[in-house]
Amino acid sequence: MGLETYRRRRDFKKTPEPKGRVSRRARRRFVVQEHHASRLHFDFRLEMGGVLKSWAAPKGPTLDPRVKRLAVMTEDHPVEYLKFEGRIPEGRYGAGEQLIWDAGNYEMKNDADPLRQLKEGKLSFELHGDKLQGGFNLIRMKGRDGEWLLIKSDDEFAQPGWKLELRLKTGETRKRKKSVGGARHPVKKFRAKAKQESRAIAASRVFRAKDLSGDIDLKIGKEIVALTNLDKVYWPNDGYTKGDLIRYYYGIAKYILPYLKDRPLILNRYPNGIGQPSFHQHDVDEAPDYARTVTIAVEEGHTVDYLVCDNLATLLYVANLGAIECHPWNSRVSALDHPDWCVFDLDPGEGVEFAAICETALRLREALNRAGLKCCAKTSGSRGIHVYAPLKPVHDYEEVAGFAERIAKLIAERYPQIATVERSLKKRPSGRIYVDHLQNARGKSVVAPYSVRPRAGATVSTPLDWNEIKRGKIKPQDFTIENILRRIERKGDLFRLALKGRQSLPSAVADL
Ligand code: MN
């Protein structure tokens, strides 16, 4: 019994699934996952021997004792999978959305040993879930490799004619993440309540609470945003949870939304927090009614449905997906091929002082000013600075990228001691700041102003005043989800120029 097969089939840099390990505690928990893989099925998992014994049931379980359901044994999963929900990226093993359909504890009939019954090919147990309750049996079919039957015992929990309800309707817009059955927390002693509408709570009330936990249906105007697993720890060293992330985005919405509005959004998702596998998502299959999507042709015959974050409900929906970072395009839906800002990412090499990055930002600003362009700057939230020169949306991506490249090269030529445009990390001279101009291509992006970063301290990409950069006393780590709002109260939004400046590129940069 181990997780070798499980691990061999997965690349944990590319899937949000937990790597997990064999548990030493003998607990009896179960989960049923609704897996929207290439073919929809249900994964039925029972905890025993420190792992989750797993079966894939094409039609899922049933409460109807007259119906036998096929369940094909699959590889053991780690117990961490009991809590797993997320989208397994395209091209990975089991690609598709994985949702928890039901979960809880189980007991063996007559307190039997589950591993022994497993070996004998006949398991009899009682489930205590929200949807699944009472006796169930898993019976191995003779001469059929790995094929079992899952059958409900005919007890007081049996419901002849019972119909399974999906949490996520196939091919339909997902409206509510939470199913009608209510909360899905383990250990319910009594029969699940009949259909009960869960009550949505006003956002203003929810975010006043100090600690957010569990699942909450949030009411925002007429919309309901389903927030889930709010107590999941996203920054283990700082103790910030997913709830803290969502609370931050709720508070900052007024300031960040103008920078996201009308722009295709790339989601950088960390469903299990920082330091855990993450993935970029361009294409969204489902979006709630309140979220706008736009279909964009990316290459011959291929289109991508991008989310566009125009309102508070969408912003919180996105945060609930674990998208710690917001990456908007450099152009708007109304003029997709014409970026309305040109962006430079000053990325320091090892051992570079932040003061040197400030110095480089000032040099870059001088060069842009000489080209007739005003610009504004923000911390990247990691180690560098981003400089934006706002543009009229009249130049195409190639033109803007070409201009950015010339400016970056000019800086590197003029200040070779501090700046470089060498892309390759290996070839880059040490101690230099990389003037990255390559994010000015179609479909590329840098993190939005006021976006959180998946870094220690929950830092925020923070607009700076040029005088702060001149003094060079600040550090990106100074600005976090804890203090940005107070800073804005004092200083206002220092990035407004990026939206208001409507400048044209100069015809030549030769004499800068
Ligand atoms: Mn599956």
Side-chain angles (χ1 to χ4, degrees):
M1 187 143 348
L3 297 169
E4 297 79 18
T5 310
Y6 173 83
R7 288 186 179 162
R8 200 176 56 241
R9 288 181 175 169
R10 290 166 177 82
D11 178 348
F12 295 98
K13 288 198 187 81
K14 294 184 177 146
T15 177
E17 293 164 289
K19 192 169 178 199
R21 51 180 144 180
V22 176
S23 161
R24 269 175 295 178
R25 298 180 59 192
R27 295 178 69 182
R28 301 220 172 125
R29 294 173 289 181
F30 83 95
V31 66
V32 180
Q33 272 140 336
E34 176 181 319
H35 191 176
H36 292 257
S38 50
R39 180 172 268 165
L40 171 70
H41 63 271
F42 292 79
D43 292 303
F44 186 85
R45 310 184 199 280
L46 295 173
E47 180 175 14
M48 62 181 85
V51 297
L52 302 177
K53 288 290 166 191
S54 298
W55 290 262
K59 292 185 176 170
T62 176
L63 292 177
D64 188 338
R66 301 166 306 185
V67 179
K68 299 179 171 75
R69 284 285 163 83
L70 176 68
V72 182
M73 194 144 205
T74 60
E75 80 273 20
D76 295 350
H77 280 50
V79 294
E80 285 82 355
Y81 221 91
L82 286 164
K83 302 279 167 63
F84 176 69
E85 281 195 312
R87 169 171 291 279
I88 302 169
E90 210 67 24
R92 314 315 309 175
Y93 182 73
E97 190 96 23
Q98 181 77 279
L99 300 161
I100 296 173
W101 182 82
D102 197 19
N105 296 327
Y106 76 94
E107 281 172 89
M108 292 301 293
K109 277 252 169 71
N110 307 319
D111 214 17
D113 174 7
L115 288 169
R116 185 155 163 201
Q117 287 201 352
L118 184 79
K119 216 171 146 198
E120 288 163 357
K122 189 179 184 304
L123 278 156
S124 292
F125 48 91
E126 222 168 272
L127 297 179
H128 306 289
D130 282 333
K131 298 187 177 101
L132 299 182
Q133 308 236 332
F136 281 81
N137 307 279
L138 266 165
I139 296 153
R140 187 162 58 212
M141 289 193 273
K142 289 208 174 71
R144 307 273 290 272
D145 196 29
E147 293 187 0
W148 297 59
L149 292 172
L150 178 61
I151 307 164
K152 176 80 192 78
S153 306
D154 198 358
D155 56 18
E156 77 264 39
F157 296 105
Q159 289 182 40
W162 181 87
K163 284 221 163 49
L164 185 148
E165 272 184 53
L166 290 174
R167 285 188 60 199
L168 179 65
K169 300 280 182 282
T170 43
E172 225 182 73
T173 298
R174 173 147 43 132
K175 291 200 180 70
R176 299 268 300 269
K177 224 179 157 187
K178 224 196 247 173
S179 63
V180 190
R184 45 165 179 74
H185 280 294
V187 205
K188 276 248 183 85
K189 293 199 183 69
F190 308 102
R191 188 180 190 125
K193 282 164 265 146
K195 290 182 186 180
Q196 189 190 53
E197 274 299 314
S198 53
R199 287 235 306 278
I201 312 173
S204 54
R205 265 184 59 205
V206 167
F207 293 111
R208 239 181 279 147
K210 191 167 162 285
D211 293 307
L212 298 168
S213 67
D215 299 351
I216 293 174
D217 281 350
L218 194 70
K219 208 167 161 203
I220 294 176
K222 277 180 284 172
E223 309 300 349
I224 290 166
V225 184
L227 304 180
T228 53
N229 296 316
L230 292 169
D231 38 6
K232 194 184 257 188
V233 175
Y234 266 21
W235 279 265
N237 292 331
D238 301 290
Y240 295 127
T241 61
K242 184 178 176 185
D244 295 324
L245 175 77
I246 297 175
R247 190 204 316 270
Y248 168 78
Y249 277 119
Y250 176 74
I252 205 77
K254 182 167 111 185
Y255 299 100
I256 194 174
L257 279 172
Y259 299 96
L260 304 176
K261 201 170 167 17
D262 288 334
R263 297 171 193 274
L265 187 70
I266 301 158
L267 308 178
N268 200 358
R269 294 177 60 182
Y270 291 77
N272 292 307
I274 74 165
Q276 297 295 319
S278 68
F279 57 101
H280 292 275
Q281 187 180 4
H282 291 248
D283 205 1
V284 293
D285 289 341
E286 279 98 22
D289 291 346
Y290 49 77
R292 177 151 71 117
T293 58
V294 53
T295 304
I296 299 177
V298 285
E299 53 193 85
E300 201 91 21
H302 287 278
T303 59
V304 170
D305 295 320
Y306 278 94
L307 207 63
V308 179
C309 186
D310 285 332
N311 54 47
L312 175 60
T314 307
L315 182 65
L316 302 187
Y317 166 74
V318 162
N320 187 64
L321 292 176
I324 293 177
E325 293 186 324
C326 299
H327 280 255
W329 272 35
N330 300 323
S331 56
R332 294 173 187 254
V333 174
S334 51
L336 272 178
D337 293 319
H338 300 96
D340 59 1
W341 55 51
C342 173
V343 58
F344 298 86
D345 176 7
L346 303 180
D347 189 3
E350 281 306 315
V352 176
E353 297 279 318
F354 193 69
I357 300 154
C358 291
E359 185 66 31
T360 312
L362 290 167
R363 301 281 179 248
L364 176 57
R365 181 199 191 203
E366 277 166 26
L368 288 168
N369 284 171
R370 278 198 298 273
L373 297 175
K374 287 186 185 152
C375 57
C376 46
K378 62 186 182 69
T379 65
S380 69
S382 172
R383 287 153 31 90
I385 286 184
H386 297 152
V387 175
Y388 285 48
L391 299 172
K392 276 185 209 161
V394 294
H395 310 281
D396 62 25
Y397 270 104
E398 263 128 69
E399 239 179 301
V400 175
F403 169 77
E405 182 178 3
R406 289 196 298 279
I407 291 284
K409 283 190 170 155
L410 188 123
I411 298 291
E413 276 161 28
R414 209 168 278 179
Y415 310 101
Q417 297 316 309
I418 54 170
T420 175
V421 285
E422 178 53 61
R423 261 181 96 178
S424 154
L425 256 176
K426 275 194 209 130
K427 289 192 219 151
R428 214 178 276 172
S430 75
R432 301 301 197 286
I433 291 146
Y434 175 48
V435 184
D436 183 359
H437 54 84
L438 296 168
Q439 299 309 313
N440 292 292
R442 196 175 189 265
K444 297 270 177 162
S445 70
V446 300
V447 75
Y450 305 112
S451 172
V452 185
R453 300 302 307 275
R455 305 279 170 175
T459 48
V460 169
S461 179
T462 304
L464 299 171
D465 157 346
W466 284 104
N467 286 321
E468 289 175 301
I469 299 177
K470 269 184 206 148
R471 286 193 295 269
K473 297 233 169 81
I474 35 146
K475 296 187 303 299
Q477 290 68 34
D478 295 341
F479 310 115
T480 72
I481 58 170
E482 299 257 24
N483 58 28
I484 290 304
L485 269 175
R486 259 174 286 146
R487 177 177 159 90
I488 296 177
E489 277 163 25
R490 282 202 323 273
K491 296 187 170 266
D493 175 13
L494 295 172
F495 219 63
R496 267 167 308 188
L497 175 76
L499 296 176
K500 287 201 182 139
R502 292 171 62 82
Q503 314 177 96
S504 299
L505 289 178
S507 41
V509 283
D511 52 348
L512 299 174

